[in-house]
Amino acid sequence: MLNQVTPYNTEAGKKKEVEEMFDNIAPKYDLLNHVLSMKIDVLWRNTLVKWMNKDEPKEVLDVATGTADLAIAVQKETGAKVVGLDLSQLMLNVGIDKIKKLKLDDQISMEKGDAENLRFESNKFDSVCVAFGVRNFENLEKGLAELRRVVKENKSVYILEFSKVEGFLGPFYQFYFKNILPQIGKLVSKDNRAYTYLPDSVNAFPFGEKMKNILLNTGFKNVEYKKLSFGIATIYKATK
């Protein structure tokens, strides 16, 4: 089983620690996200949504929805009904407020849930998406199998996740990622571990061809991926 880097290194288990971490940083999450990525994360989500829109989905599940940025982008671009699901109720609460302000609460529903044990029947959704969430799964293969289960036959799961910058920019990015980003995160979020966990979990996580092979081994019949911003992030499209 891959990826057992955990936020707080306690006996609670990765799932409980991830929930606690996101509850802790929920009030500052959006601010930090946009500052630390210089708002490039908005561009990345939009790239995923434009790719998904070619499938013309009517019903979409957004797993690890957090504060609903991807769910909102999906709904606005595709017009689909979206279910947003997350482990952290405090992250969901921030998203629910956003959705109400945008008057999208009849189009986007938000609920607490576990990606590795989805309550939905098989073959329910036209598309499933996850932005920066699969890295936090306690059991990656189990979570991916659940995403595959609930998407319809011949439809796709879209995963946006951090990857590693390779080539001459790699050392510069790693320096920022390991030294500067955690200090800003600690200062703003007051959680000493959350933004150290981020680079640790990214560096431990498979990307590119390795992630493609994991998705194929999970049962997807076709997997494509696009590198974004010199490989800082990657979008995977896995078709059932």
Side-chain angles (χ1 to χ4, degrees), residues 150-167:
V150 299
V151 79
K152 291 177 181 173
E153 292 285 340
N154 301 311
K155 298 296 186 180
S156 301
V157 172
Y158 292 84
I159 295 167
L160 170 59
E161 191 50 88
F162 287 113
S163 42
K164 287 185 197 167
V165 178
E166 298 178 299

Side-chain angles (χ1 to χ4, degrees), residues 22 24 27 57 70 90 92 109 137 143 150 167 230 239:
F22 282 111
N24 288 344
L70 182 57
L90 296 186
L92 287 166
S109 62
F137 288 178
V150 299
F230 304 103
T239 303

